[in-house]
Amino acid sequence: MQPSIVRLERVTKTFALPEGGMITALKAIDLDVRRNEFLTLLGPSGCGKTTLLHSISGFVQLDGGKVSIDGEDVTERPPHRRPVNTVFQNYALFPHMNVDKNVGYALDIAGTDGKERGRRVGAALELVGLSGLGGRLPRQLSGGQQQRVALARAIIARPKLLLLDEPLSALDRNLRQAMQIELKGLQAELGISFIFVTHDQEEALTMSDRLAVLEKGVIQQLDTPRSVYSRPANAFVASFIGASNLFEGAARSDGTDMLVVTPNGEHIRAAGSGTVANGQPVTALIRPEQFSLHNGGNGQPAAFIDADVEQIVFTGLNYQIHGRTPAGRKVVAIIAAVHQREVAEIDAAKKARLTYDPAGVQLIGASGGEP
Amino acid sequence: MSGATQRQRRYAQLGILLGPVSLFLAIFFLCPLAIMMIYSVLTPGLYGGAEWAFYPDNFGRILGFANPEFEVFDPVYLSIFLRSLRIALTTVAITLVVCYPAAFQVSRLPDRWKTFALFLITLPFFASLIVRLFVWVLILKKTGFANMVLQSLGIISEPADLIYTEGAIILGMVYIFIPFMFLPVYASVEKLDWSLVRASQDLGANGFQTFWRVIFPLTLPGVIGGSIIVFIPALGNFIVPAVLGGAKVMMLGNLIEQQFLSARNWPFGAALAMLVMAAVLFILFFYIRLEGRRGDDAPALR
């Protein structure tokens, strides 16, 4: 096993609210960040992801626990003596300094001599594609350029670890997607670990080697993007990552398959029997893209849900079909755009029979949630 | 065509908005100023007033090129000028030292307390300046409160000369001008983006380095603004030295007042006033140059 670059042990932080009362931002969090990995902290606002980031950079005083960077205990060290650098959410570029001074700030503080400084600033600007803009002030740059300056400034001191606090949230969609790929490339080129904070699940899935989903100060799941998506640990993760159709109910076995029976009488079929004891509460997850449209022929499909179609949204790549089961539960199905004709039919009929493969249904919540 | 009419409309709007105040300033500021300028180079009349003849010796008397036939160069005027400069600069320095850290403290208070603190700082404006200054007379005089306390504590045996000193004037000036320094300094401190301070620490700067490289340069406009707002009225102030300096410590303001009222030498008083204004303009000019340079930085370096 490679030793981890960052290790958090039972890290705890509680904030006093201005109205009185306390809020626990981090509840005894354990986390190991591997060398040279792109780790994303994902969660809704207020889940503690920024506090977790600050506990590594040193901007919060912890109430308990231990933070080690590269094997050294840094729990009591102030931010300026930790070997990590941060790309801030609003970039936090020094408005009174030009790009050259901003990027070279860490070197100026360290007293790096002029020739070496010039060389490294030049190299950092080249790396982010801003050569020749050293004389500009931050306000004379576009949002994307400011983003790159912040990046160059954060990597110039060759930190052991780069922290990124929602750095792409202020960019428009196209630029954000371009930057996602660039950041990933940069991380591979620099060979250091990135810890990336975001509330955007698509961003997290695109870029990460591993993904930690946070909620209420607790890491709900830490795994590769694919595993988190296909095998969510609980209902929160399932609903936060990707659109989900969740059916809470009680488990029942019919001999070959598991059935999840919801209180209003719907049956969801999941492959594999005997994984959940009869009568246990369990939640079945069907991703929208797992549904297909029943074409009417070939008799009864193995597993299906009937829905009244409420709305069909065309996104270019596919159709999002928003419907409601006879019992009144909302369901979402995503059907590829090539099935245009079938979609037109259900649009006319306002009724759809959504079939799914029981082998793809995830059971969440009860012990042994994986079939 | 329509662009031209639109521009005309804009000019008309501007004219309506700026017209009254421009007119007011032209009549009640520029005209008297022009009169003063003219007076400063006129011959003082024998019994007050002025005679319509060019007379550079008003300035000569102060600056040392007086024609001895008419006027005598007296270094006392320059020494009053220097003393005024010294008192004004000391006032600026002390108010700055008091207000700068206080502004940081206030800016970090919860909103409710912030408003209250600002109210407290502007509270002195609600009482008359003269009344407030005479309170200082009561405190500082020979049998005043300060001497009483110092004597009863056994620190001094004889009452000390606290009032009618340069120190008393500076004390009074600082007392009056603290709100004038505080408000601009506070405005720039309040605006300070604390994420920049974090960024600086994150990049390895300790508290001192962060202060000099980030916090101070970014709050400098408020510091300069406050300094100017305090310096200009402090330099020409005559109420504070009149009340707390007595006849012993005179400042430019008192000298000018004396020339106009008791000595009835308007041309000489006008000349003194012109010199005060020249000093202020000189300083403002430097400030504007400095500000201009900060703005032009980028293209020059590119």
Side-chain angles (χ1 to χ4, degrees):
Chain A
M1 273 301 280
Q2 259 186 327
S4 49
I5 185 77
V6 176
R7 163 164 287 175
L8 304 183
E9 291 162 80
R10 304 201 62 72
V11 164
T12 301
K13 178 66 188 175
T14 312
F15 288 111
L17 293 173
E19 314 86 73
M22 305 289 269
I23 183 164
T24 306
L26 302 175
K27 275 184 202 156
I29 287 203
D30 292 314
L31 177 65
D32 274 299
V33 184
R34 297 176 192 151
R35 269 168 214 280
N36 200 8
E37 89 168 324
F38 198 119
L39 176 78
T40 299
L41 305 177
L42 175 68
S45 56
C47 71
K49 56 192 192 295
T50 296
T51 311
L52 187 59
L53 200 73
H54 283 178
S55 71
I56 299 169
S57 56
F59 289 116
V60 292
Q61 278 274 306
L62 294 179
D63 298 324
K66 189 175 148 191
V67 180
S68 317
I69 298 175
D70 205 10
E72 276 183 273
D73 182 356
V74 298
T75 314
E76 299 300 323
R77 264 202 228 171
H80 69 271
R81 291 181 45 227
R82 296 191 184 198
V84 298
N85 287 123
T86 307
V87 177
F88 290 87
Q89 188 169 11
N90 58 357
Y91 318 140
L93 298 179
F94 304 122
H96 59 300
M97 297 181 193
N98 61 27
V99 169
D100 178 273
K101 292 258 175 60
N102 264 288
V103 173
Y105 191 83
L107 303 181
D108 293 338
I109 293 292
T112 311
D113 79 85
K115 237 169 102 185
E116 165 84 356
R117 180 199 183 277
R119 198 182 56 71
R120 280 170 68 179
V121 170
L125 284 178
E126 201 183 316
L127 191 65
V128 297
L130 288 182
S131 297
L133 295 185
R136 298 271 187 97
L137 286 176
R139 65 164 182 269
Q140 298 169 314
L141 299 175
S142 70
Q145 289 172 324
Q146 292 183 17
Q147 165 70 67
R148 287 156 197 270
V149 174
L151 205 56
R153 184 179 70 173
I155 58 178
I156 199 158
R158 297 170 185 148
K160 292 182 173 172
L161 179 71
L162 189 66
L163 308 177
L164 301 104
D165 188 1
E166 307 205 25
L168 306 183
S169 58
L171 302 180
D172 65 58
R173 190 180 163 81
N174 287 336
L175 194 53
R176 199 163 67 218
Q177 286 176 339
M179 281 305 287
Q180 284 171 7
I181 294 161
E182 249 182 76
L183 271 180
K184 187 75 182 114
L186 186 68
Q187 186 256 334
E189 193 173 336
L190 292 172
I192 60 174
S193 302
F194 279 26
I195 301 183
F196 186 92
V197 163
T198 184
H199 60 262
D200 182 326
Q201 42 110 355
E202 193 187 314
E203 209 165 88
L205 292 172
T206 311
M207 303 167 77
S208 325
D209 295 325
R210 284 196 305 160
L211 177 57
V213 183
L214 266 88
E215 164 68 352
K216 297 192 171 125
V218 176
I219 295 180
Q220 305 285 341
Q221 189 171 9
L222 172 61
D223 212 331
T224 62
R226 280 176 206 187
S227 302
V228 171
Y229 187 81
S230 59
R231 290 194 300 278
N234 56 41
F236 172 78
V237 175
S239 59
F240 194 74
I241 310 262
S244 305
N245 298 294
L246 294 172
F247 301 86
E248 307 86 11
R252 187 171 3 133
S253 177
D254 72 346
T256 53
D257 282 333
M258 287 291 308
L259 289 177
V260 176
V261 182
T262 65
N264 25 14
E266 293 147 337
H267 288 56
I268 303 297
R269 187 173 286 272
S273 62
T275 48
V276 184
N278 262 358
Q280 280 272 32
V282 69
T283 301
L285 160 67
I286 304 175
R287 295 287 186 191
E289 65 274 16
Q290 285 177 293
F291 284 120
S292 34
L293 292 176
H294 184 54
N295 53 16
N298 309 351
Q300 187 95 330
F304 65 90
I305 299 170
D306 282 325
D308 297 324
V309 175
E310 291 184 334
Q311 201 182 7
I312 297 179
V313 180
F314 179 56
T315 64
L317 282 178
N318 48 44
Y319 293 94
Q320 284 176 15
I321 298 170
H322 296 265
R324 216 173 262 279
T325 64
R329 179 190 298 275
K330 277 187 179 171
V331 287
V332 184
I334 292 180
I335 304 297
V338 292
H339 299 294
Q340 195 181 7
R341 202 170 46 80
E342 291 93 323
V343 171
E345 278 169 22
I346 66 152
D347 198 11
K350 291 291 167 206
K351 277 193 183 307
R353 175 159 285 187
L354 303 169
T355 65
Y356 58 91
D357 179 4
V361 175
Q362 299 291 317
L363 297 180
I364 301 168
S367 55
E370 294 172 13
Chain B
M1 178 69 195
S2 80
T5 39
Q6 209 170 36
R7 201 181 316 156
Q8 276 171 5
R9 273 241 310 272
R10 282 231 354 235
Y11 281 134
Q13 279 174 348
L14 268 181
I16 291 165
L17 289 172
L18 295 179
V21 70
S22 308
L23 196 71
F24 184 88
L25 285 177
I27 295 173
F28 295 103
F29 174 69
L30 288 182
C31 287
L33 190 68
I35 294 170
M36 279 293 119
M37 267 171 148
I38 295 165
Y39 255 94
S40 70
V41 289
L42 291 184
T43 315
L46 224 48
Y47 307 103
E51 283 166 28
W52 200 252
F54 181 67
Y55 189 73
D57 298 290
N58 292 323
F59 288 103
R61 232 175 126 182
I62 311 163
L63 299 174
F65 55 82
N67 184 345
E69 247 181 80
F70 305 111
E71 297 281 2
V72 190
F73 164 60
D74 191 339
V76 77
Y77 301 121
L78 272 183
S79 83
I80 290 176
F81 191 88
L82 287 179
R83 173 194 293 147
S84 301
L85 214 56
R86 188 169 64 228
I87 290 176
L89 288 176
T90 313
T91 305
V92 167
I94 296 175
T95 48
L96 187 58
V97 167
V98 171
C99 293
Y100 195 65
F104 280 90
Q105 289 299 321
V106 172
S107 77
R108 307 193 107 176
L109 291 176
D111 279 349
R112 255 182 317 166
W113 289 105
K114 225 184 253 185
T115 318
F116 185 64
L118 288 178
F119 168 72
L120 284 184
I121 281 160
T122 48
L123 193 61
F125 289 129
F126 291 89
S128 148
L129 176 64
I130 299 294
V131 171
R132 286 185 286 137
L133 281 179
F134 273 105
V135 170
W136 278 108
V137 174
L138 294 181
I139 296 172
L140 294 177
K141 67 180 183 180
K142 273 239 148 77
T143 55
F145 180 72
N147 269 318
M148 214 173 72
V149 170
L150 288 175
Q151 276 176 296
S152 64
L153 287 175
I155 294 168
I156 51 172
S157 51
E158 292 288 304
D161 284 325
L162 297 176
I163 202 168
Y164 310 132
T165 59
E166 208 171 296
I169 296 179
I170 291 172
L171 183 70
M173 292 270 205
V174 168
Y175 169 70
I176 288 177
F177 287 119
I178 272 187
F180 294 85
M181 180 62 90
F182 184 86
L183 293 174
V185 168
Y186 175 76
S188 71
V189 167
E190 173 80 70
K191 258 194 342 213
L192 183 70
D193 179 359
W194 286 94
S195 71
L196 299 176
V197 173
R198 278 198 179 154
S200 171
Q201 291 175 312
D202 186 74
L203 293 164
N206 61 27
F208 182 78
Q209 289 164 323
T210 298
F211 179 78
W212 275 115
R213 286 169 184 263
V214 177
I215 299 176
F216 187 71
L218 288 176
T219 51
L220 194 59
V223 169
I224 293 176
S227 300
I228 287 175
I229 287 180
V230 170
F231 177 80
I232 293 174
L235 185 67
N237 195 292
F238 73 95
I239 302 172
V240 179
V243 175
L244 296 174
K248 283 193 197 163
V249 190
M250 195 180 254
M251 283 179 68
L252 276 171
N254 312 92
L255 184 63
I256 294 169
E257 181 213 9
Q258 198 187 53
Q259 291 308 316
F260 275 98
L261 298 182
S262 349
R264 296 172 63 78
N265 188 345
W266 281 40
F268 185 54
L272 284 165
M274 287 300 121
L275 282 179
V276 174
M277 211 174 72
V280 167
L281 285 179
F282 185 72
I283 287 165
L284 277 182
F285 173 74
F286 265 90
Y287 169 64
I288 289 163
R289 279 284 301 273
L290 203 79
E291 277 292 283
R293 263 236 315 277
R294 281 155 57 96
D296 295 343
D297 233 359
L301 277 168
R302 192 166 2 152

